[in-house]
Coordinates of all heavy atoms in Angstrom, one line a residue:
M718 N 2.9 21.6 -9.9 CA 1.8 20.7 -9.8 C 1.4 20.3 -11.2 O 1.3 21.2 -12.0 CB 0.8 21.3 -9.0 CG -0.3 20.3 -8.6 SD 0.2 19.1 -7.5 CE -0.9 19.3 -6.2
Y719 N 1.0 19.1 -11.4 CA 0.5 18.7 -12.7 C -1.0 18.8 -12.7 O -1.7 18.5 -11.8 CB 0.9 17.2 -13.0 CG 2.3 16.9 -13.1 CD1 3.2 16.7 -12.1 CD2 2.9 16.9 -14.4 CE1 4.5 16.4 -12.3 CE2 4.2 16.7 -14.6 CZ 5.0 16.5 -13.6 OH 6.4 16.2 -13.7
C720 N -1.5 19.0 -13.9 CA -3.0 18.9 -14.2 C -3.2 17.5 -14.6 O -2.2 16.8 -15.0 CB -3.4 19.9 -15.2 SG -2.9 19.7 -16.8
I721 N -4.4 17.0 -14.7 CA -4.6 15.6 -15.1 C -4.1 15.3 -16.5 O -3.7 14.2 -16.8 CB -6.1 15.2 -14.9 CG1 -6.3 13.7 -15.0 CG2 -7.0 15.9 -15.9 CD1 -7.6 13.2 -14.4
E722 N -4.2 16.3 -17.4 CA -3.7 16.1 -18.8 C -2.2 16.0 -18.8 O -1.6 15.3 -19.7 CB -4.2 17.2 -19.7 CG -5.7 17.1 -20.0 CD -6.5 17.8 -18.9 OE1 -6.0 18.6 -18.1 OE2 -7.7 17.5 -18.8
C723 N -1.4 16.6 -17.9 CA 0.0 16.6 -18.0 C 0.7 15.6 -17.1 O 1.8 15.4 -17.3 CB 0.5 18.0 -17.5 SG -0.1 19.4 -18.5
A724 N -0.1 15.0 -16.2 CA 0.5 13.9 -15.4 C 1.0 12.7 -16.3 O 0.2 12.4 -17.2 CB -0.5 13.4 -14.4
P725 N 2.1 12.2 -16.1 CA 2.7 11.1 -16.9 C 1.8 9.9 -17.0 O 1.6 9.2 -17.9 CB 4.0 10.8 -16.3 CG 4.4 11.9 -15.4 CD 3.1 12.6 -15.0
T726 N 1.1 9.5 -15.8 CA 0.3 8.4 -15.8 C -0.9 8.6 -14.8 O -0.8 9.5 -14.0 CB 1.0 7.1 -15.2 OG1 1.4 7.4 -13.8 CG2 2.3 6.8 -16.0
P727 N -2.0 7.9 -15.0 CA -3.1 8.0 -14.1 C -2.7 7.8 -12.6 O -3.2 8.4 -11.7 CB -4.1 7.0 -14.5 CG -3.8 6.8 -16.0 CD -2.3 7.0 -16.1
A728 N -1.8 6.8 -12.4 CA -1.4 6.5 -11.0 C -0.6 7.7 -10.4 O -0.7 8.0 -9.3 CB -0.4 5.3 -11.0
F729 N 0.2 8.3 -11.3 CA 0.9 9.5 -10.8 C 0.0 10.6 -10.3 O 0.1 11.2 -9.3 CB 1.8 10.0 -12.0 CG 2.8 11.1 -11.6 CD1 4.0 10.8 -11.1 CD2 2.3 12.4 -11.8 CE1 4.9 11.9 -10.8 CE2 3.2 13.5 -11.5 CZ 4.5 13.2 -11.0
W730 N -1.1 10.8 -11.2 CA -2.1 11.8 -10.9 C -2.8 11.5 -9.6 O -3.0 12.4 -8.7 CB -3.1 12.0 -12.0 CG -4.2 12.9 -11.7 CD1 -5.5 12.5 -11.5 CD2 -4.2 14.3 -11.5 NE1 -6.3 13.5 -11.3 CE2 -5.5 14.6 -11.3 CE3 -3.3 15.3 -11.6 CZ2 -5.9 16.0 -11.0 CZ3 -3.6 16.6 -11.4 CH2 -4.9 16.9 -11.1
R731 N -3.1 10.3 -9.4 CA -3.9 9.8 -8.2 C -3.0 10.0 -7.0 O -3.5 10.4 -5.9 CB -4.3 8.3 -8.4 CG -5.1 7.8 -7.2 CD -5.5 6.4 -7.5 NE -5.6 5.8 -6.2 CZ -6.7 5.4 -5.6 NH1 -7.5 5.6 -6.0 NH2 -6.8 4.9 -4.4
R732 N -1.7 9.7 -7.0 CA -0.9 9.9 -5.9 C -0.9 11.4 -5.4 O -0.8 11.7 -4.3 CB 0.6 9.5 -6.2 CG 0.7 8.0 -6.1 CD 2.2 7.6 -6.1 NE 3.0 8.0 -7.2 CZ 3.3 7.3 -8.3 NH1 2.9 6.0 -8.3 NH2 4.0 7.7 -9.3
I733 N -0.9 12.3 -6.4 CA -0.9 13.7 -6.1 C -2.2 14.1 -5.4 O -2.2 14.7 -4.4 CB -0.6 14.6 -7.3 CG1 0.8 14.3 -7.8 CG2 -0.8 16.0 -7.0 CD1 1.1 14.9 -9.2
V734 N -3.3 13.7 -6.1 CA -4.6 14.2 -5.6 C -5.0 13.5 -4.3 O -5.5 14.2 -3.4 CB -5.7 13.8 -6.7 CG1 -7.0 14.1 -6.2 CG2 -5.4 14.7 -8.0
C735 N -4.8 12.2 -4.2 CA -5.3 11.5 -3.0 C -4.3 11.6 -1.8 O -4.8 11.7 -0.7 CB -5.5 10.0 -3.3 SG -6.8 9.7 -4.5
Y736 N -3.0 11.6 -2.1 CA -2.1 11.6 -1.0 C -1.1 12.7 -0.9 O -0.3 12.8 0.1 CB -1.3 10.2 -1.1 CG -2.1 9.1 -1.3 CD1 -2.1 8.4 -2.5 CD2 -3.0 8.6 -0.4 CE1 -2.9 7.3 -2.8 CE2 -3.9 7.5 -0.6 CZ -3.8 6.9 -1.8 OH -4.6 5.8 -2.1
G737 N -1.2 13.6 -1.8 CA -0.2 14.8 -1.8 C 1.2 14.4 -2.1 O 2.1 15.1 -1.7
V738 N 1.4 13.2 -2.8 CA 2.7 12.7 -3.0 C 3.0 13.0 -4.5 O 2.6 12.3 -5.4 CB 2.8 11.2 -2.7 CG1 4.1 10.7 -3.1 CG2 2.5 11.0 -1.2
G739 N 3.8 14.0 -4.7 CA 4.3 14.4 -6.1 C 5.5 13.6 -6.4 O 6.0 12.7 -5.6
K740 N 6.1 13.9 -7.5 CA 7.3 13.2 -8.0 C 8.4 13.3 -7.0 O 9.1 12.4 -6.7 CB 7.7 13.8 -9.4 CG 9.0 13.2 -9.9 CD 8.8 11.8 -10.5 CE 10.0 11.3 -11.2 NZ 10.4 10.0 -10.9
R741 N 8.7 14.5 -6.4 CA 9.8 14.8 -5.5 C 9.6 13.9 -4.2 O 10.5 13.3 -3.7 CB 9.8 16.2 -5.1 CG 11.0 16.6 -4.3 CD 11.1 18.1 -4.1 NE 11.0 18.9 -5.3 CZ 10.3 20.0 -5.4 NH1 9.7 20.5 -4.4 NH2 10.2 20.6 -6.6
E742 N 8.3 13.9 -3.7 CA 8.0 13.1 -2.5 C 8.1 11.6 -2.7 O 8.7 10.9 -1.9 CB 6.6 13.5 -1.9 CG 6.5 14.9 -1.4 CD 6.2 15.9 -2.5 OE1 6.0 15.5 -3.7 OE2 6.1 17.1 -2.2
F743 N 7.6 11.2 -3.9 CA 7.7 9.8 -4.3 C 9.2 9.4 -4.4 O 9.5 8.3 -3.8 CB 7.0 9.6 -5.6 CG 7.0 8.1 -6.1 CD1 5.9 7.3 -5.7 CD2 7.9 7.6 -6.9 CE1 5.9 6.0 -6.1 CE2 7.9 6.3 -7.4 CZ 6.9 5.5 -6.9
D744 N 10.0 10.1 -5.1 CA 11.4 9.8 -5.2 C 12.1 9.7 -3.8 O 12.9 8.9 -3.6 CB 12.1 10.7 -6.1 CG 11.7 10.5 -7.6 OD1 11.1 9.5 -7.9 OD2 12.0 11.4 -8.4
A745 N 11.8 10.6 -2.9 CA 12.4 10.7 -1.6 C 12.0 9.4 -0.8 O 12.8 8.8 -0.1 CB 12.0 12.0 -0.9
L746 N 10.7 9.0 -0.9 CA 10.2 7.8 -0.2 C 11.0 6.6 -0.7 O 11.4 5.8 0.0 CB 8.8 7.6 -0.3 CG 7.8 8.4 0.6 CD1 6.4 8.3 0.1 CD2 7.9 8.0 2.0
L747 N 11.1 6.6 -2.1 CA 11.7 5.4 -2.7 C 13.2 5.3 -2.3 O 13.7 4.3 -2.0 CB 11.6 5.6 -4.2 CG 11.8 4.3 -5.1 CD1 10.8 3.2 -4.7 CD2 11.5 4.6 -6.5
L748 N 13.8 6.5 -2.2 CA 15.2 6.5 -1.8 C 15.4 6.1 -0.4 O 16.3 5.3 0.0 CB 15.8 7.9 -2.0 CG 17.3 8.1 -1.7 CD1 18.2 7.3 -2.6 CD2 17.7 9.5 -1.8
T749 N 14.5 6.6 0.5 CA 14.5 6.2 1.9 C 14.4 4.7 2.1 O 15.0 4.1 3.0 CB 13.4 6.9 2.7 OG1 13.6 8.3 2.5 CG2 13.3 6.5 4.2
Q750 N 13.6 4.1 1.2 CA 13.3 2.6 1.3 C 14.3 1.8 0.4 O 14.1 0.7 0.1 CB 11.9 2.3 0.8 CG 10.8 2.9 1.8 CD 9.4 2.7 1.3 OE1 8.6 3.4 1.7 NE2 9.2 1.7 0.5
S751 N 15.4 2.5 0.0 CA 16.4 1.8 -0.9 C 15.8 1.2 -2.1 O 16.3 0.2 -2.6 CB 17.2 0.8 -0.1 OG 17.8 1.3 1.0
G752 N 14.7 1.8 -2.6 CA 14.2 1.4 -3.9 C 13.3 0.2 -3.8 O 12.8 -0.4 -4.8
G753 N 13.0 -0.3 -2.5 CA 12.2 -1.5 -2.4 C 10.9 -1.3 -1.5 O 10.8 -0.3 -0.9
C754 N 10.0 -2.3 -1.6 CA 8.8 -2.2 -0.8 C 9.1 -2.2 0.6 O 10.1 -2.8 1.1 CB 8.0 -3.5 -1.2 SG 6.6 -3.8 -0.1
A755 N 8.4 -1.4 1.4 CA 8.6 -1.2 2.8 C 8.4 -2.5 3.6 O 8.9 -2.6 4.7 CB 7.7 -0.1 3.4
I756 N 7.7 -3.4 3.1 CA 7.5 -4.7 3.8 C 8.4 -5.8 3.3 O 9.1 -6.4 4.1 CB 6.0 -5.1 3.7 CG1 5.1 -4.1 4.4 CG2 5.8 -6.5 4.3 CD1 3.6 -4.3 4.3
C757 N 8.3 -6.1 2.0 CA 9.1 -7.3 1.5 C 10.4 -7.0 0.8 O 11.1 -7.8 0.4 CB 8.1 -8.1 0.6 SG 7.9 -7.3 -1.0
N758 N 10.6 -5.7 0.6 CA 11.8 -5.2 -0.1 C 12.0 -5.5 -1.6 O 13.0 -5.3 -2.1 CB 13.0 -5.6 0.7 CG 14.2 -4.6 0.5 OD1 14.0 -3.4 0.4 ND2 15.4 -5.1 0.4
V759 N 10.9 -6.0 -2.2 CA 11.0 -6.2 -3.7 C 11.2 -4.9 -4.3 O 10.7 -3.8 -3.9 CB 9.7 -7.0 -4.2 CG1 8.5 -6.0 -4.2 CG2 9.9 -7.4 -5.6
A760 N 11.9 -4.9 -5.4 CA 12.2 -3.6 -6.1 C 10.9 -3.0 -6.6 O 10.0 -3.6 -7.1 CB 13.1 -3.9 -7.3
L761 N 10.8 -1.7 -6.5 CA 9.6 -0.9 -6.9 C 9.9 -0.1 -8.1 O 11.0 0.3 -8.3 CB 9.1 0.0 -5.7 CG 8.6 -0.7 -4.5 CD1 8.3 0.3 -3.4 CD2 7.4 -1.5 -4.8
D762 N 8.9 0.3 -8.8 CA 9.0 1.2 -9.9 C 7.8 2.3 -9.7 O 7.3 2.4 -8.6 CB 8.8 0.5 -11.3 CG 7.6 -0.3 -11.4 OD1 6.6 0.0 -10.7 OD2 7.5 -1.2 -12.3
D763 N 7.5 3.0 -10.8 CA 6.5 4.0 -10.7 C 5.1 3.5 -10.3 O 4.2 4.3 -10.1 CB 6.5 4.8 -12.0 CG 7.6 5.8 -12.1 OD1 8.3 6.1 -11.0 OD2 7.9 6.3 -13.2
S764 N 4.9 2.2 -10.4 CA 3.5 1.6 -10.1 C 3.4 1.3 -8.6 O 2.4 0.8 -8.2 CB 3.3 0.4 -11.0 OG 4.2 -0.7 -10.6
A765 N 4.4 1.7 -7.8 CA 4.3 1.4 -6.4 C 3.1 2.1 -5.7 O 2.6 3.1 -6.2 CB 5.6 1.9 -5.7
H766 N 2.5 1.4 -4.7 CA 1.4 1.9 -4.0 C 1.8 2.7 -2.9 O 2.7 2.4 -2.1 CB 0.5 0.7 -3.5 CG -0.1 -0.1 -4.7 ND1 -1.4 0.1 -5.0 CD2 0.5 -1.0 -5.4 CE1 -1.6 -0.7 -6.0 NE2 -0.5 -1.4 -6.3
V767 N 1.1 3.9 -2.7 CA 1.3 4.7 -1.5 C 0.5 4.2 -0.3 O -0.7 4.2 -0.4 CB 0.9 6.2 -1.8 CG1 1.1 7.0 -0.6 CG2 1.7 6.7 -3.0
D768 N 1.2 3.6 0.7 CA 0.5 3.2 1.8 C 0.2 4.3 2.7 O 1.0 5.2 3.0 CB 1.4 2.1 2.6 CG 0.7 1.7 3.9 OD1 -0.5 1.4 3.9 OD2 1.4 1.7 4.9
H769 N -1.0 4.3 3.3 CA -1.4 5.4 4.2 C -2.3 4.9 5.3 O -3.0 3.9 5.1 CB -2.1 6.6 3.4 CG -3.4 6.1 2.8 ND1 -3.4 5.3 1.7 CD2 -4.6 6.4 3.1 CE1 -4.7 5.1 1.4 NE2 -5.4 5.7 2.2
D770 N -2.4 5.6 6.4 CA -3.3 5.3 7.5 C -4.7 5.7 7.1 O -4.9 6.9 6.8 CB -2.8 6.0 8.7 CG -3.6 5.6 10.0 OD1 -4.9 5.7 9.8 OD2 -3.1 5.3 11.0
H771 N -5.6 4.8 7.0 CA -7.0 5.2 6.6 C -7.7 6.1 7.5 O -8.7 6.8 7.2 CB -7.8 3.9 6.3 CG -7.4 3.2 5.0 ND1 -8.1 3.2 3.9 CD2 -6.2 2.5 4.8 CE1 -7.4 2.5 3.0 NE2 -6.3 2.1 3.5
R772 N -7.3 6.1 8.8 CA -8.0 7.0 9.8 C -7.4 8.4 9.7 O -8.1 9.4 9.7 CB -7.8 6.5 11.2 CG -8.6 5.2 11.4 CD -8.3 4.6 12.8 NE -7.0 4.0 12.7 CZ -6.0 4.2 13.6 NH1 -6.1 5.0 14.5 NH2 -4.8 3.6 13.4
T773 N -6.1 8.6 9.5 CA -5.5 9.9 9.6 C -5.1 10.4 8.2 O -4.9 11.6 8.0 CB -4.2 9.9 10.4 OG1 -3.2 9.0 9.8 CG2 -4.5 9.4 11.8
G774 N -5.0 9.5 7.2 CA -4.5 10.0 5.9 C -3.0 10.0 5.8 O -2.5 10.3 4.7
R775 N -2.3 9.9 6.9 CA -0.8 10.0 6.9 C -0.2 8.9 6.0 O -0.4 7.7 6.2 CB -0.3 9.9 8.3 CG 1.2 10.2 8.4 CD 1.7 10.1 9.9 NE 1.7 8.7 10.4 CZ 2.7 7.8 10.1 NH1 3.7 8.2 9.3 NH2 2.6 6.6 10.5
V776 N 0.7 9.4 5.2 CA 1.5 8.4 4.3 C 2.6 7.7 5.1 O 3.3 8.3 5.9 CB 2.2 9.2 3.2 CG1 3.1 8.3 2.3 CG2 1.1 9.8 2.3
R777 N 2.6 6.4 5.0 CA 3.5 5.6 5.8 C 4.7 5.1 5.0 O 5.7 4.9 5.5 CB 2.8 4.3 6.4 CG 1.7 4.7 7.4 CD 1.1 3.5 8.0 NE 0.2 2.8 7.1 CZ -0.9 2.2 7.5 NH1 -1.3 2.1 8.8 NH2 -1.7 1.6 6.6
G778 N 4.5 4.9 3.7 CA 5.6 4.4 2.8 C 5.0 3.9 1.5 O 3.9 4.1 1.2
L779 N 5.9 3.3 0.7 CA 5.6 2.7 -0.6 C 5.6 1.2 -0.5 O 6.5 0.6 0.1 CB 6.6 3.2 -1.6 CG 6.7 4.7 -1.8 CD1 7.8 5.0 -2.8 CD2 5.4 5.2 -2.3
L780 N 4.6 0.6 -1.1 CA 4.4 -0.9 -1.1 C 4.3 -1.4 -2.5 O 3.8 -0.7 -3.4 CB 3.2 -1.3 -0.3 CG 3.1 -0.8 1.2 CD1 1.8 -1.2 1.8 CD2 4.3 -1.4 2.0
C781 N 4.7 -2.7 -2.7 CA 4.3 -3.4 -3.9 C 2.8 -3.8 -3.9 O 2.2 -3.7 -2.8 CB 5.2 -4.7 -4.1 SG 4.9 -6.0 -2.8
Q782 N 2.2 -4.1 -4.9 CA 0.8 -4.4 -5.0 C 0.5 -5.6 -4.1 O -0.5 -5.6 -3.4 CB 0.4 -4.8 -6.4 CG -1.1 -5.1 -6.5 CD -1.6 -5.4 -7.9 OE1 -0.8 -5.4 -8.9 NE2 -2.8 -5.6 -8.1
R783 N 1.3 -6.6 -4.0 CA 1.0 -7.8 -3.2 C 1.0 -7.4 -1.7 O 0.0 -7.8 -1.1 CB 2.2 -8.9 -3.4 CG 1.9 -10.1 -2.7 CD 3.0 -11.1 -3.2 NE 3.4 -11.9 -2.0 CZ 4.5 -11.8 -1.3 NH1 5.3 -10.8 -1.6 NH2 4.7 -12.6 -0.3
C784 N 1.9 -6.7 -1.3 CA 1.9 -6.3 0.2 C 0.8 -5.3 0.5 O 0.2 -5.4 1.6 CB 3.3 -5.7 0.5 SG 4.6 -7.0 0.7
N785 N 0.5 -4.4 -0.4 CA -0.6 -3.5 -0.3 C -1.9 -4.2 -0.1 O -2.7 -3.9 0.8 CB -0.7 -2.5 -1.4 CG -1.6 -1.4 -1.2 OD1 -1.5 -0.7 -0.2 ND2 -2.5 -1.2 -2.1
M786 N -2.2 -5.2 -0.9 CA -3.4 -6.0 -0.8 C -3.5 -6.8 0.5 O -4.5 -6.9 1.2 CB -3.5 -7.0 -2.0 CG -3.7 -6.3 -3.3 SD -5.1 -5.2 -3.4 CE -6.4 -6.4 -3.4
K787 N -2.3 -7.4 0.9 CA -2.3 -8.2 2.2 C -2.4 -7.3 3.4 O -3.0 -7.7 4.4 CB -1.0 -9.0 2.2 CG -1.0 -10.1 1.3 CD 0.3 -10.9 1.4 CE 0.3 -12.2 0.5 NZ 1.4 -13.0 0.7
L788 N -1.9 -6.1 3.4 CA -1.9 -5.2 4.5 C -3.3 -4.8 4.9 O -3.7 -4.7 6.0 CB -1.1 -4.0 4.2 CG -0.8 -3.1 5.5 CD1 -0.1 -3.8 6.5 CD2 0.0 -1.9 5.1
V789 N -4.2 -4.7 3.9 CA -5.6 -4.4 4.1 C -6.2 -5.4 5.0 O -7.0 -5.2 6.0 CB -6.4 -4.3 2.8 CG1 -7.9 -4.2 3.0 CG2 -5.9 -3.2 2.0
V790 N -5.9 -6.7 4.8 CA -6.4 -7.8 5.6 C -5.9 -7.8 7.0 O -6.6 -7.9 8.0 CB -6.1 -9.2 4.9 CG1 -6.6 -10.3 5.8 CG2 -6.8 -9.2 3.6
V791 N -4.6 -7.5 7.2 CA -3.9 -7.5 8.4 C -4.4 -6.4 9.3 O -4.6 -6.5 10.6 CB -2.4 -7.4 8.3 CG1 -1.7 -7.2 9.6 CG2 -1.8 -8.7 7.5
E792 N -4.8 -5.3 8.7 CA -5.3 -4.1 9.5 C -6.7 -4.4 10.1 O -7.1 -3.7 11.0 CB -5.3 -2.9 8.6 CG -4.0 -2.3 8.4 CD -4.0 -1.1 7.5 OE1 -4.8 -1.1 6.5 OE2 -3.3 -0.1 7.8
D793 N -7.4 -5.3 9.5 CA -8.8 -5.7 10.0 C -8.6 -6.8 11.1 O -8.7 -8.0 10.7 CB -9.6 -6.1 8.9 CG -11.0 -6.4 9.3 OD1 -11.3 -6.5 10.5 OD2 -11.9 -6.6 8.3
Q794 N -8.4 -6.4 12.3 CA -8.1 -7.4 13.4 C -9.2 -8.4 13.6 O -9.0 -9.6 13.9 CB -7.8 -6.7 14.7 CG -6.4 -6.1 14.7 CD -5.3 -7.1 14.4 OE1 -5.2 -8.1 15.1 NE2 -4.5 -6.9 13.4
T795 N -10.5 -7.9 13.4 CA -11.6 -8.9 13.6 C -11.5 -10.0 12.6 O -11.7 -11.2 12.9 CB -13.0 -8.1 13.4 OG1 -13.0 -7.1 14.4 CG2 -14.1 -9.1 13.6
F796 N -11.2 -9.6 11.3 CA -11.1 -10.6 10.3 C -9.9 -11.6 10.6 O -10.0 -12.8 10.4 CB -10.9 -9.9 8.9 CG -10.6 -11.0 7.9 CD1 -11.6 -11.7 7.3 CD2 -9.2 -11.2 7.4 CE1 -11.3 -12.7 6.3 CE2 -8.9 -12.1 6.5 CZ -10.0 -12.9 5.9
V797 N -8.8 -11.0 11.0 CA -7.6 -11.8 11.4 C -7.9 -12.9 12.4 O -7.6 -14.1 12.2 CB -6.5 -11.0 11.8 CG1 -5.3 -11.9 12.3 CG2 -5.9 -10.1 10.7
V798 N -8.6 -12.6 13.5 CA -9.0 -13.5 14.5 C -10.0 -14.5 14.0 O -9.8 -15.7 14.2 CB -9.6 -12.7 15.7 CG1 -10.3 -13.6 16.7 CG2 -8.6 -11.8 16.4
Q799 N -10.9 -14.1 13.2 CA -11.9 -15.1 12.6 C -11.2 -16.0 11.6 O -11.5 -17.2 11.6 CB -13.0 -14.3 11.9 CG -14.0 -13.6 12.9 CD -14.9 -12.7 12.1 OE1 -14.7 -12.2 11.1 NE2 -16.0 -12.4 12.8
A800 N -10.3 -15.5 10.8 CA -9.6 -16.3 9.9 C -8.7 -17.3 10.5 O -8.6 -18.5 10.1 CB -8.8 -15.5 8.9
Q801 N -8.0 -16.9 11.7 CA -7.2 -17.8 12.4 C -8.0 -18.9 13.1 O -7.6 -20.1 13.1 CB -6.4 -17.1 13.5 CG -5.3 -16.2 12.8 CD -4.5 -15.4 13.9 OE1 -5.2 -14.9 14.9 NE2 -3.3 -15.0 13.6
A802 N -9.2 -18.6 13.6 CA -10.1 -19.6 14.2 C -10.6 -20.6 13.1 O -10.6 -21.8 13.4 CB -11.3 -18.9 14.8
Y803 N -10.9 -20.1 11.9 CA -11.3 -20.9 10.8 C -10.2 -21.9 10.4 O -10.4 -23.1 10.3 CB -11.7 -20.1 9.6 CG -11.8 -20.9 8.4 CD1 -12.8 -21.8 8.1 CD2 -10.8 -20.8 7.4 CE1 -12.9 -22.5 6.9 CE2 -10.8 -21.5 6.2 CZ -11.9 -22.4 6.0 OH -11.9 -23.1 4.9
L804 N -9.0 -21.4 10.3 CA -7.8 -22.3 9.9 C -7.6 -23.3 11.0 O -7.3 -24.5 10.7 CB -6.6 -21.4 9.6 CG -6.7 -20.6 8.4 CD1 -5.5 -19.7 8.3 CD2 -6.8 -21.4 7.1
A805 N -7.6 -22.9 12.2 CA -7.4 -23.8 13.3 C -8.5 -25.0 13.3 O -8.1 -26.2 13.5 CB -7.4 -23.1 14.7
S806 N -9.7 -24.6 13.1 CA -10.8 -25.6 13.1 C -10.6 -26.5 11.9 O -10.9 -27.7 12.0 CB -12.2 -25.0 13.2 OG -12.5 -24.3 11.9
A807 N -10.2 -26.0 10.7 CA -10.1 -26.8 9.6 C -8.9 -27.8 9.7 O -9.0 -28.9 9.2 CB -9.8 -25.9 8.4
M808 N -7.9 -27.5 10.5 CA -6.8 -28.4 10.8 C -7.2 -29.5 11.7 O -6.9 -30.6 11.4 CB -5.6 -27.6 11.5 CG -4.7 -26.9 10.5 SD -3.2 -26.6 11.3 CE -3.2 -24.8 11.4
V809 N -8.1 -29.2 12.7 CA -8.6 -30.2 13.6 C -9.5 -31.2 12.8 O -9.4 -32.4 13.0 CB -9.3 -29.6 14.8 CG1 -10.1 -30.6 15.6 CG2 -8.4 -28.8 15.6
E810 N -10.3 -30.7 11.9 CA -11.2 -31.5 11.2 C -10.5 -32.4 10.2 O -11.0 -33.5 9.8 CB -12.3 -30.6 10.4 CG -13.2 -29.9 11.3 CD -14.1 -28.9 10.6 OE1 -14.1 -28.9 9.4 OE2 -14.8 -28.2 11.3
S811 N -9.3 -32.0 9.7 CA -8.6 -32.8 8.7 C -7.8 -33.9 9.3 O -7.3 -34.7 8.5 CB -7.7 -31.9 7.8 OG -6.7 -31.3 8.6
K812 N -7.7 -33.9 10.6 CA -6.9 -35.0 11.3 C -7.7 -36.3 11.3 O -8.8 -36.4 11.4 CB -6.4 -34.5 12.6 CG -5.4 -33.5 12.5 CD -4.9 -33.2 13.9 CE -3.8 -32.1 13.8 NZ -3.2 -31.8 15.1

């Protein structure tokens, strides 16, 4: 286990502290995902985001920054329904 001073990067340290994902676990996840984002498959590097269930804390996989940011929105079903209604009404108004 690394201490904060010995961790190669702040992101590396955060993955260990927040998600229990050290170098070995990170590399295993990356290998399982063939080196790509679990959603869009773009190539990942050490800056990949650890996706986790916010209710349980269970790690689901590694994501690129773009997919990680979008997933937050998709998980909020109330927002998704409201956003879809807004877009639908905006289309009607523009006709």
Side-chain angles (χ1 to χ4, degrees):
M718 189 68 126
Y719 291 90
C720 67
I721 194 162
E722 290 83 19
C723 298
T726 65
F729 187 88
W730 172 250
R731 183 177 151 104
R732 283 194 299 261
I733 294 170
V734 172
C735 295
Y736 313 112
V738 176
K740 178 75 171 135
R741 188 176 310 139
E742 294 85 4
F743 182 87
D744 289 345
L746 279 169
L747 200 55
L748 183 63
T749 300
Q750 295 177 204
S751 302
C754 171
I756 295 175
C757 73
N758 206 36
V759 69
L761 295 175
D762 58 20
D763 284 342
S764 66
H766 293 260
V767 175
D768 175 45
H769 64 287
D770 185 311
H771 287 252
R772 288 172 289 127
T773 65
R775 186 182 71 78
V776 172
R777 297 184 285 212
L779 301 175
L780 302 177
C781 66
Q782 181 177 2
R783 185 174 143 259
C784 288
N785 189 53
M786 296 300 290
K787 288 182 176 188
L788 192 59
V789 171
V790 174
V791 173
E792 287 180 316
D793 183 349
Q794 287 301 306
T795 301
F796 174 80
V797 170
V798 170
Q799 291 170 335
Q801 288 173 332
Y803 163 75
L804 290 173
S806 70
M808 279 201 245
V809 170
E810 291 173 10
S811 68
K812 288 184 178 182

